Amino acid sequence: MDKLRNIIGKNQAQGAGGAGAPAKARDLRLKLGVLAVLLLLPILLQNEPYYQEILTFVFLWGAMSGAWNIVGGYAGKFSLGHAAFFGIGAYTSGLLYTKLGISPWLGMFGGMLLSVIFALLIGVVTLRLKGKFFALCTIAFGMLVEIMAVYLRGVTGGSEGLLIPYEPGFWNMTFASKVVWAYIFLALMLGVYGVSRWLDKSALGYRLSALREDEDAAEALGVNTLAGKLSSITISAAITALGGSLFAQYFLWLEPNFCVSLDLSQQFALISIIGGMGTAIGPLVGAAIITPLQIFLRAAFGSAASGMSMMIYGFLLVVVVLYMPKGIVVEVRDRLRARRTKAVAGVVEREVSNVA
Amino acid sequence: MDGTLFLQLLVSGLLIGGVYALISIGLTLIFGVMRIVNFAHGEFLMLSMFAAFWLFHFTGLSPYLLAPLVILLLFAYGVAIYVLVIRRTIGSPMVVQIFATVGLGLFMQNAALVLWSGDFRTIQTPASTALLRFAGIQVSQSMMIASLVAIVIALILFAFMAWTYPGKAIRATVQDRVGAQLMGVNIDRVFMMTFAIGSALVGIAGALLAPAYPIFPSVGANFGLASFVVVVLGGMGSMTGALLGGFLIGVVETFSGFFIDAALKQAVYFLVFILVLVFRPTGLLGQRGAEEIGLK
């Protein structure tokens, strides 16, 4: 009997609990490997402008849906108006730069500040709303910002868009080399990943998941759900605005129809959902799948079928939501885990029958 | 401001409102019974307008004569979408409930763009531009018809809910899903029927709007958003609320378009929308949970 207990103890140590140390080391090696590849890719692709652009957008949209994930995935508040924050960031720094000559490096803080103010406003007024009603309210907010961006023609350039002059220079945040941009967006994406990892382990993160799973129960247990909601939405809005400011200087052309549109809001959400909501890595995986797909499809079908990529997006979203609602990352991880558990269980069973 | 102008604005507003009400009835029915917000609602409208357009294109018959066909097509489409998508979302986590129809909307709108291109199409018939004149004001005949039909449909739905067996089954399901099931109501059938009827109601709206508005893949986006505003304002799940909300939003839109700025008329109703959601999320006529679907 003691022998049996020993065997089980040993296997447990190797299997579930004790696999910790080697698995962690393996995990770290994997992460460092991925990081090294990400750091090398922009340089390796510098003579391949097409792939370079895909890479840059993977980083940008990965970062932006990662930011959406902080409020959508971690706090479970599904915003369909995040393009408004993106647009506020883009237009604030873009306008400060083109009209007043203020460097985008400073202007981007203006955009973040303005976005945070709007986020607090939205957070406070929607505090009673749950699920679908919160989503509806954020749609209305996004539409309001889009309408204003078109309406204030004199300032924003209206629907013709705002052209930002191309004058390369560090202080102008305008770079002749696309490699620089790939690294800037990579840094942004890694920053978002860092914030998400911190949320995985911090008290705020736990508060958010309590609020996501059951708001009333969390409140009853003494979790300050309002503080949780407000902090997640402000963090998310600030990062989204930062992304908008950077995008403005990268793209040098702002159009309400694109950068404040409902389509863009939906894109942030769907990348995160398809990849895996509520996980740090999910949105990045989502972006790595969706963004190249979008650009390839656009190249393959051209303007003749401009709706093709969004059509496939929509289809993917429906399929993922219905058949793997936790997203690709979580689904794959769960399957792998289930297999590993099965393997461990198999070993135990064999050893037990040997003893017997 | 003189009386005729005021009257003209009011009547125009009420007519647009009637159109909004007509579009919103299906949305509020589906929400009231199934607790599902169909984010693809505007795209259902777009689809029915295209159906009306193509039927008109190939037969040359009056769009009003073709309306029953459009309704039938949308009913069948509703059944298909229920079986393929909606059935799986009932009782699922919020992310599934919201994003299944968001994805469906994206898919439908862009499939239309791929299939039929982004061109504006119109149905040119004498009826589409006909104006009725009385007491010094002008009224578009096609919008007049749409508004009247909205009221008639609401009345028919009341009668259906109050006196027919399927209507009673729907109400029973709304009040208590488990209880209704124990009494032998087939919940799945009720949901399928509700979704199909909701979809057929959008079919009516699409068939009646097709002669009056240009038809293009993203035409549903604005109408869809307007119908969310209407339904939330009136009270999610309330038929009378949809009518009232529709007329109110129509009048608000027309007056703010005239007195503030035509470019801002949508902004005004989105603001109204946010205010309603914040201060009275149940809407004007909705009750907490909107239990008494169809009879208020």
Side-chain angles (χ1 to χ4, degrees):
Chain A
M1 198 57 215
D2 274 349
K3 201 174 168 196
L4 183 65
R5 205 170 291 140
N6 265 344
I7 292 166
I8 294 177
K10 198 172 73 194
N11 275 306
Q12 267 173 349
Q14 279 171 1
K24 237 178 208 164
R26 203 181 334 130
D27 212 32
L28 188 68
R29 270 203 302 278
L30 181 72
K31 272 181 191 160
L32 286 176
V34 170
L35 184 64
V37 171
L38 288 180
L39 283 173
L40 281 175
L41 267 178
I43 296 210
L44 291 176
L45 292 177
Q46 62 179 332
N47 294 321
E48 302 273 355
Y50 177 62
Y51 293 103
Q52 182 84 349
E53 188 185 302
I54 293 179
L55 189 71
T56 310
F57 274 113
V58 167
F59 293 156
L60 173 63
W61 298 142
M64 292 299 93
S65 46
W68 181 88
N69 186 38
I70 291 172
V71 63
Y74 282 87
K77 293 272 168 195
F78 303 119
S79 157
L80 283 171
H82 255 55
F85 298 129
F86 189 79
I88 288 172
Y91 272 104
T92 307
S93 67
L95 286 171
L96 285 176
Y97 175 55
T98 46
K99 309 270 161 166
L100 302 175
I102 295 174
S103 163
W105 293 109
L106 297 175
M108 69 189 193
F109 290 103
M112 286 163 79
L113 186 71
L114 203 59
S115 258
V116 165
I117 292 171
F118 272 103
L120 283 174
L121 213 70
I122 292 285
V124 169
V125 299
T126 58
L127 104 158
R128 294 197 300 172
L129 303 177
K130 288 180 184 165
K132 301 151 189 164
F133 295 93
F134 179 82
L136 284 171
C137 204
T138 52
I139 291 183
F141 166 64
M143 294 304 296
L144 272 177
V145 174
E146 183 181 349
I147 291 170
M148 290 323 284
V150 175
Y151 178 69
L152 298 173
R153 197 169 306 276
V155 185
T156 62
S159 35
E160 286 107 69
L162 176 73
L163 208 60
I164 298 171
Y166 176 73
E167 289 154 3
F170 178 80
W171 197 235
N172 295 343
M173 208 201 270
T174 312
F175 305 104
S177 158
K178 297 284 181 195
V179 180
V180 180
W181 278 112
Y183 280 113
I184 289 177
F185 289 128
L186 174 62
L188 184 67
M189 186 180 86
L190 292 175
V192 174
Y193 178 75
V195 171
S196 307
R197 288 298 296 163
W198 168 73
L199 277 179
D200 280 339
K201 288 172 190 144
S202 71
L204 176 61
Y206 286 118
R207 275 208 289 279
L208 293 184
S209 40
L211 138 77
R212 176 187 60 208
E213 297 305 330
D214 190 331
E215 207 170 316
D216 298 327
E219 187 77 45
L221 287 173
V223 174
N224 188 344
T225 53
L226 175 61
K229 263 180 274 187
L230 288 183
S231 30
S232 66
I233 198 169
T234 43
I235 295 172
S236 173
I239 300 173
T240 310
L242 177 59
S245 294
L246 296 176
F247 170 81
Q249 292 307 117
Y250 171 68
F251 213 65
L252 297 174
W253 186 45
L254 299 177
E255 198 194 7
N257 220 334
F258 173 73
C259 64
V260 212
S261 65
L262 183 57
D263 277 355
L264 192 64
S265 295
Q266 289 176 340
Q267 185 179 315
F268 293 163
L270 78 87
I271 287 176
S272 177
I273 291 169
I274 288 176
M277 262 189 339
T279 62
I281 194 76
L284 313 192
V285 172
I289 297 170
I290 294 293
T291 306
L293 184 70
Q294 183 186 28
I295 298 174
F296 285 138
L297 284 170
R298 204 180 295 148
F301 292 97
S303 56
S306 53
M308 191 61 92
S309 64
M310 291 305 271
M311 181 180 113
I312 292 175
Y313 266 33
F315 182 75
L316 269 182
L317 182 61
V318 175
V319 170
V320 167
V321 150
L322 290 184
Y323 295 96
M324 39 171 97
K326 290 173 182 165
I328 292 172
V329 169
V330 180
E331 207 75 23
V332 170
R333 198 178 60 193
D334 285 356
R335 287 219 182 129
L336 285 181
R337 238 177 233 169
R339 193 186 292 170
R340 211 177 297 153
T341 320
K342 226 185 235 166
V344 171
V347 171
V348 173
E349 211 168 275
R350 263 202 313 282
E351 302 233 357
V352 168
S353 61
N354 282 348
V355 172
Chain B
M1 135 186 216
D2 72 282
T4 321
L5 176 62
F6 180 81
L7 198 64
Q8 174 73 58
L9 285 174
L10 186 68
V11 171
S12 302
L14 286 175
L15 287 183
I16 294 173
V19 169
Y20 287 161
L22 181 63
I23 301 170
S24 310
I25 292 174
L27 184 68
T28 202
L29 174 74
I30 291 171
F31 177 82
V33 176
M34 306 168 72
R35 291 285 174 266
I36 282 190
V37 176
N38 183 10
F39 283 92
H41 189 74
E43 278 63 44
F44 276 66
L45 180 74
M46 175 274 298
L47 186 69
S48 51
M49 287 172 82
F50 265 106
F53 173 81
W54 288 114
L55 285 172
F56 170 78
H57 187 77
F58 288 119
T59 63
L61 294 172
S62 154
Y64 295 113
L65 278 178
L66 294 167
L69 256 178
V70 176
I71 296 167
L72 223 64
L73 280 174
L74 263 284
F75 186 89
Y77 186 74
V79 171
I81 291 297
Y82 176 79
V83 171
L84 290 173
V85 180
I86 307 296
R87 180 186 273 156
R88 297 187 66 100
T89 69
I90 293 168
S92 297
M94 195 53 71
V95 56
V96 182
Q97 291 189 23
I98 294 177
F99 286 97
T101 54
V102 168
L104 180 66
L106 265 180
F107 174 78
M108 287 173 67
Q109 184 178 332
N110 290 287
L113 189 59
V114 170
L115 286 173
W116 302 314
S117 86
D119 299 344
F120 280 39
R121 295 162 200 273
T122 48
I123 293 182
Q124 291 296 345
T125 65
S128 54
T129 47
L131 290 173
L132 306 173
R133 287 187 176 78
F134 59 89
I137 59 173
Q138 297 186 346
V139 177
S140 147
Q141 185 190 309
S142 46
M143 287 177 70
M144 191 80 199
I145 293 176
S147 297
L148 292 177
V149 168
I151 295 170
V152 172
I153 284 178
L155 290 174
I156 293 176
L157 261 181
F158 280 134
F160 173 76
M161 290 290 183
W163 293 309
T164 68
Y165 179 78
K168 287 176 183 168
I170 290 179
R171 273 162 49 215
T173 309
V174 172
Q175 284 176 4
D176 188 340
R177 282 184 193 183
V178 180
Q181 215 154 10
L182 288 173
M183 296 300 116
V185 174
N186 184 341
I187 303 283
D188 185 53
R189 187 72 58 77
V190 165
F191 285 163
M192 184 194 288
M193 199 168 58
T194 307
F195 197 79
I197 293 175
S199 171
L201 291 173
V202 184
I204 301 178
L208 296 182
L209 291 196
Y213 285 92
I215 302 161
F216 50 98
S218 54
V219 67
N222 278 334
F223 280 121
L225 287 170
S227 61
F228 288 130
V229 178
V230 165
V231 165
V232 168
L233 178 65
M236 280 257 183
S238 161
M239 299 291 156
T240 329
L243 278 184
L244 190 67
F247 288 123
L248 262 175
I249 288 296
V251 172
V252 165
E253 179 186 303
T254 311
F255 276 85
S256 57
F258 186 81
F259 289 106
I260 304 175
D261 193 313
L264 287 184
K265 59 185 184 186
Q266 272 194 312
V268 172
Y269 71 62
F270 280 123
L271 212 58
V272 171
F273 182 58
I274 294 180
L275 292 176
V276 171
L277 274 174
V278 170
F279 292 108
R280 194 175 159 79
T282 50
L284 295 176
L285 297 183
Q287 277 184 0
R288 199 161 281 280
E291 280 84 2
E292 288 287 323
I293 176 76
L295 284 182
K296 272 197 324 281

